[in-house]
Amino acid sequence: MKFELTPAFEGDWARLSPGERAKFREAVTDHFHPACERRRADPAAPWPKSLRVKDVEGAPGVWELTLSFSGPDGRATFEWIEIDGEPGIRWRRVGGHAILGAP
């Protein structure tokens, strides 16, 4: 699945520790990307419970996923977009719970 990054995501990414970056990559590669592919085939397919994907309250069209329950706090926000005529993801923010103030 194709994706793009917002400038806010790029700034957030630059502030993450190497461990936080690895956690994000692992969650996306192992769980999120395969789930997106399943949802492309069947929009009713469930998200992996380990990611706790849900709508961001007060931000229509923006979703959040939880990268870590045990710590450190890890979240990312995204939205569905179209890239080259195909469904894609725009990564909006990544970091701790505070990113949800401006998802």
Side-chain angles (χ1 to χ4, degrees):
M1 175 161 294
K2 294 181 180 185
F3 66 91
E4 65 181 40
L5 309 174
T6 65
F9 182 96
E10 291 173 342
D12 293 340
W13 184 261
R15 289 185 288 277
L16 295 179
S17 71
E20 290 167 324
R21 290 178 184 176
K23 182 66 104 173
F24 177 81
R25 286 187 186 111
E26 177 185 334
V28 170
T29 301
D30 295 350
H31 304 287
F32 184 76
H33 179 75
C36 287
E37 293 298 335
R38 285 191 299 274
R39 288 180 67 89
R40 279 179 62 179
D42 176 9
W47 290 104
K49 291 183 190 252
S50 63
L51 294 180
R52 204 176 95 199
V53 175
K54 63 182 183 174
D55 293 7
V56 174
E57 192 173 316
V62 179
W63 296 74
E64 74 169 285
L65 65 94
T66 300
L67 304 171
S68 175
F69 288 104
S70 60
D73 179 29
R75 310 288 172 111
T77 60
F78 67 95
E79 61 189 315
W80 290 101
I81 60 170
E82 189 173 292
I83 301 173
D84 300 328
E86 296 181 28
I89 296 290
R90 176 180 296 129
W91 290 107
R92 298 174 56 93
R93 301 292 310 269
V94 63
H97 192 266
I99 67 165
L100 298 177

